[in-house]
Amino acid sequence: MKYLSKSLLLINLILLFSLPAFSQKAEKISQNPTFRVEPPSWWAGMKHPELQLLVYGKDIALTDVALEYPGVVLRKKIAVENPNYLFLDLELAPDVKPGSFEIAFIRERETVFTYNYYLREREPGSATRKGFDSGDVIYLLMPDRFANGDPANDNMPGMLEKADRNNPGGRHGGDIAGIRKNLDYISDLGMTAVWINPLLENNNAAWSYHGYAITDFYKVDPRFGTNDDYVALVKEAHEKGLKIIMDMIFNHCGINHWFINDLPMSNWIHQFPEFTKSNFRAEAITDPYASEYDRNKLLQGWFDTNMPDLDQRNPLVTEYLIQNSIWWIEFAGLSGIRLDTQPYPYKEMIAEWGKRVFNEYPDFNIVGEAWLNREGMNAYYQKDAIVGDGYNSYLPSITDFSMHGAMARAFTENDGWSEGMARLYYVLAQDFLWADPSKNLIFLDNHDVNRYFNNVGNDIDALKMALSFLLTTRGIPQIYYGTELLMDEPEHKGHGEIRKDFPGGWPGDAVNAFAREGRTNDQNEIFSYMQRLLKFRQHSLPVTRGKLLQFIPSDGLYVYFRQHEDQTVMVVLNNSKSAKKLNMTKYAEALKDYTTANDVISLQKLSLSKGLESKPRSAMVLELSR
Ligand code: CA
């Protein structure tokens, strides 16, 4: 995750220097801390028998704690450096009943704080929920930039940054209401899952729109809506056949997070005498020759001046983050998590997290963002990795940046021994490095990189071939919002450029691209192209579950097959400028006794006995039949 360009950094440096040092701040705030308990509630009947509460309140560590509820035992009180914090280890019996109990904090026989703690009843099927998988296609959207369903929440009391739609790096007003209004659009396009960039509170003076500097881990940013709005969104999405994937960040939080303003203890975050940034060299984690200097800088350096780096070696931090993620899965009804910057938090914590999440939800899924451009270093981060030092992250899905790099060039280069579509071949030919490449998240672009249409120089044929490949090769495809509108901005002009507002998402927008009439002919052409492939994919067992059989690209042609039991899909990508007659005997092992082919894109029925001809710079996705 790259958040800021150079010009933005300067502004953030100014911000940093205008803040008082931690100790000064702590003193000021501790005079009147807001009483908090986190997680604010829990559930009866979870598999893990322990629950650790973080309690925050003025001199809370000096209190005695009393609670009484059948099946709940207070095992341990942990005081830390800052007396405004108290950690409570509770043990929950497997048969504890849903209900609520009072936790009393008593000082000199007087109750100074009370908290009514709820153990809620779990939704039926909560533990057996099914995560996203290769049967899904994920639509990635940035909530501030997708649709503004409620202009009344654009500016909210207490929130430091005000909406300014003219500022590419400012808040534009998109929200949960806007996503809810357009779920039908997403589902109609043929998507089955939505990854929404972070929705939790980012109460920062600037750059708060992207959501990666969280200031409250238990609260949706009021400019996006409320926690209940989020729950309603997930529920509605499920009714429309859409899974919701939450974006989570364990590496850092926002500088204005309430616990940063009054740190529980010095090793809650990594601190340095002067501002120290990460080296962003994630390679240092897998490098067998890495120096401690490089590795520590990667792990401990801050992502940016406004993003304090959490120390996940601290067991209290680890527990806080693990419980937070489980709380959201259970509270909101999630179908998946996308973990930001997987190599940057300590990998031991990630493994512990993975184990805990899958202990509660065996069929769930998590995709880790491991932004590494080489297959082996990518594969290291997947569950049951077969490369590396024996480390197991327990995260089933990993962002396939090797494939991303290959796709960026495959359809614009002339095909050669190792150029053009051969790049795709070489990535796939190294799939022996992965524990399970069918779970890799594959994508043409996302919120951090060039728009793919920019990569291919606004070449619609290249985009169509790329989409055909993305939606029929192995893995779990993810498509960034605006791809269907031919958004074409480069990353180097600033992240605001690759995160533009969806036209029609704001009241009064000149065009409404959510409707066919509001889109240009070119946009409708690519929209329909995607829709056809996406709808086909939803029901294609060979593409979503089948084996992959590929032929080395040659003569501008890349041909591969997806096979599931007696069903076969044949994909023909012709990246050359001339029409190609296929040598059918070459593919005999896959063509078997099939006689006809239905072209999913052109909707033509073709006879295989007459051979196949592929048009210049085009894709054919063929369902074979007898
Ligand atoms: Ca709004």
Side-chain angles (χ1 to χ4, degrees):
M1 168 70 42
K2 284 192 292 182
Y3 299 110
L4 297 168
S5 62
K6 278 175 208 150
S7 57
L8 316 191
L9 178 63
L10 186 69
I11 291 162
N12 276 288
L13 282 170
I14 295 164
L15 242 169
L16 178 78
F17 294 129
S18 65
L19 289 170
F22 289 122
S23 58
Q24 290 167 339
K25 259 202 138 175
E27 204 177 317
K28 193 184 85 200
I29 304 273
S30 66
Q31 286 164 13
N32 189 19
T34 315
F35 183 71
R36 290 172 189 267
V37 176
E38 293 186 348
S41 58
W42 202 246
W43 289 267
M46 302 297 285
K47 269 197 191 150
H48 190 71
E50 283 138 29
L51 172 66
Q52 183 170 76
L53 303 181
L54 178 159
V55 186
Y56 181 62
K58 172 78 176 148
D59 291 331
I60 196 81
L62 309 178
T63 61
D64 288 322
V65 181
L67 64 88
E68 214 174 312
Y69 190 76
V72 178
V73 180
L74 173 60
R75 283 276 175 234
K76 204 168 162 193
K77 264 175 64 184
I78 304 166
V80 292
E81 286 163 37
N82 184 339
N84 293 338
Y85 289 82
L86 192 57
F87 294 83
L88 303 179
D89 283 351
L90 306 186
E91 195 176 311
L92 309 178
D95 59 351
V96 67
K97 297 277 175 293
S100 71
F101 53 91
E102 201 168 77
I103 309 177
F105 299 88
I106 305 152
R107 197 170 170 186
E108 289 162 6
R109 290 193 209 135
E110 213 175 291
T111 301
V112 285
F113 295 109
T114 56
Y115 189 85
N116 205 25
Y117 205 84
Y118 279 87
L119 282 179
R120 298 181 189 281
E121 189 174 350
R122 300 183 74 183
E123 293 275 330
S126 174
T128 54
R129 74 187 60 218
K130 190 135 175 24
F132 63 94
D133 65 15
S134 56
D136 289 301
V137 177
I138 302 166
Y139 191 70
L140 162 61
L141 67 86
M142 182 157 274
D144 182 60
R145 304 300 167 86
F146 186 62
N148 188 358
D150 181 9
N153 65 16
D154 291 2
N155 297 299
M156 292 297 278
M159 293 294 109
L160 298 172
E161 189 177 8
K162 302 294 169 204
D164 177 6
R165 221 180 149 197
N166 296 318
N167 175 4
R171 289 195 85 91
H172 292 188
D175 49 33
I176 289 173
I179 302 170
R180 287 174 71 181
K181 273 188 186 168
N182 293 295
L183 287 173
D184 283 334
Y185 167 84
I186 297 169
S187 151
D188 177 53
L189 179 54
M191 301 290 173
T192 62
V194 191
W195 156 23
I196 304 168
N197 289 127
L199 284 164
L200 300 187
E201 185 196 88
N202 270 233
N203 194 8
N204 305 304
W207 315 107
S208 69
Y209 78 95
H210 57 58
Y212 287 94
I214 292 172
T215 55
D216 189 331
F217 280 100
Y218 282 95
K219 189 174 149 210
V220 165
D221 193 292
R223 294 160 294 188
F224 289 138
T226 63
N227 285 9
D228 288 343
D229 291 336
Y230 186 40
V231 174
L233 159 72
V234 176
K235 220 171 155 223
E236 257 173 53
H238 286 173
E239 284 160 12
K240 295 175 193 297
L242 295 166
K243 296 169 178 167
I244 296 290
I245 301 167
M246 185 167 176
D247 204 329
M248 292 193 181
I249 310 121
F250 294 163
N251 181 61
H252 50 260
C253 62
I255 192 86
N256 287 342
H257 192 288
W258 62 267
F259 62 43
I260 299 297
N261 281 331
D262 192 15
L263 280 173
M265 58 230 285
S266 50
N267 69 342
W268 192 259
I269 57 173
H270 295 112
Q271 302 195 61
F272 302 89
E274 54 192 43
F275 176 68
T276 301
K277 209 172 186 164
S278 173
N279 55 13
F280 304 104
R281 298 292 195 117
E283 294 79 5
I285 301 297
T286 44
D287 172 10
Y289 317 113
S291 62
E292 260 183 53
Y293 174 87
D294 288 337
R295 213 170 259 181
N296 286 344
K297 203 146 185 206
L298 181 274
L299 289 166
Q300 300 170 4
W302 288 22
F303 227 89
D304 217 310
T305 48
N306 60 352
M307 294 173 179
D309 199 82
L310 297 164
D311 189 345
Q312 305 84 8
R313 291 172 303 183
N314 180 335
L316 297 171
V317 172
T318 294
E319 198 55 35
Y320 182 87
L321 295 171
I322 291 174
Q323 290 184 164
N324 178 254
S325 68
I326 291 171
W327 191 86
W328 279 111
I329 296 171
E330 196 72 25
F331 178 78
L334 303 176
S335 302
I337 292 172
R338 178 266 185 185
L339 175 71
D340 190 49
T341 61
Q342 186 181 348
Y344 291 73
Y346 294 91
K347 65 184 182 183
E348 294 77 10
M349 181 260 159
I350 297 300
E352 176 64 20
W353 174 55
K355 275 192 251 181
R356 286 275 294 279
V357 169
F358 289 97
N359 176 45
E360 298 290 354
Y361 314 99
D363 297 326
F364 192 68
N365 200 10
I366 299 175
V367 53
E369 181 207 21
W371 193 335
L372 291 140
N373 298 311
R374 289 192 172 86
E375 290 79 357
M377 286 191 282
N378 250 195
Y380 177 84
Y381 289 95
Q382 190 175 41
K383 179 177 189 257
D384 300 333
I386 48 181
V387 294
D389 54 10
Y391 171 68
N392 192 341
S393 72
Y394 292 93
L395 306 194
S397 287
I398 300 298
T399 49
D400 193 339
F401 271 93
S402 308
M403 185 62 92
H404 167 257
M407 289 189 291
R409 300 168 73 176
F411 302 105
T412 49
E413 288 177 344
N414 289 326
D415 279 278
W417 188 269
S418 50
E419 297 81 29
M421 294 187 297
R423 293 184 187 280
L424 310 174
Y425 174 79
Y426 286 119
V427 170
L428 293 169
Q430 291 179 78
D431 269 5
F432 61 86
L433 294 169
W434 290 93
D436 186 355
S438 76
K439 294 196 169 79
N440 290 11
L441 189 87
I442 51 173
F443 51 98
L444 298 175
D445 55 14
N446 63 27
H447 59 294
D448 284 327
V449 298
N450 275 355
R451 286 278 183 181
Y452 189 79
F453 200 43
N454 180 277
N455 275 352
V456 295
N458 294 43
D459 179 338
I460 287 210
D461 294 336
L463 177 60
K464 284 180 176 173
M465 284 187 277
L467 286 164
S468 301
F469 173 73
L470 181 80
L471 295 172
T472 56
T473 191
R474 58 85 174 132
I476 309 171
Q478 167 250 295
I479 293 178
Y480 189 35
Y481 83 98
T483 302
E484 71 275 28
L485 302 181
L486 299 171
M487 285 189 180
D488 62 352
E489 290 77 11
E491 190 264 345
H492 70 87
K493 285 193 178 167
H495 281 171
E497 291 297 305
I498 53 173
R499 303 164 178 178
K500 286 210 161 152
D501 298 348
F502 194 108
W506 277 249
D509 274 0
V511 292
N512 176 17
F514 285 110
R516 180 159 277 274
E517 316 80 77
R519 296 191 287 264
T520 65
N521 289 342
D522 281 353
Q523 286 173 335
N524 275 325
E525 188 185 328
I526 207 73
F527 185 98
S528 300
Y529 190 92
M530 285 169 66
Q531 191 179 43
R532 210 166 270 185
L533 275 169
L534 286 161
K535 300 268 181 186
F536 152 75
R537 194 185 186 283
Q538 285 180 7
H539 305 287
S540 173
L541 286 172
V543 171
T544 57
R545 310 278 174 224
K547 286 187 298 187
L548 172 64
L549 170 72
Q550 62 174 346
F551 291 80
I552 300 169
S554 69
D555 192 28
L557 274 182
Y558 177 32
V559 177
Y560 57 91
F561 295 82
R562 300 298 308 269
Q563 301 164 317
H564 183 264
E565 294 169 3
D566 65 343
Q567 298 178 58
T568 300
V569 169
M570 177 184 191
V571 180
V572 181
L573 298 169
N574 178 358
N575 190 25
S576 78
K577 293 186 180 68
S578 52
K580 301 277 179 191
K581 250 192 136 45
L582 271 67
N583 171 3
M584 302 300 272
T585 49
K586 176 175 170 180
Y587 309 114
E589 67 188 276
L591 288 172
K592 296 178 188 160
D593 58 344
Y594 288 111
T595 53
T596 46
N598 287 311
D599 189 331
V600 171
I601 299 165
S602 72
L603 303 179
Q604 279 180 307
K605 197 167 187 166
L606 308 164
S607 165
L608 293 176
S609 62
K610 290 180 188 149
L612 289 172
E613 191 175 285
S614 165
K615 295 196 181 85
R617 308 213 63 232
S618 73
M620 287 198 287
V621 176
L622 306 169
E623 267 187 305
L624 305 185
S625 55
R626 290 182 186 91

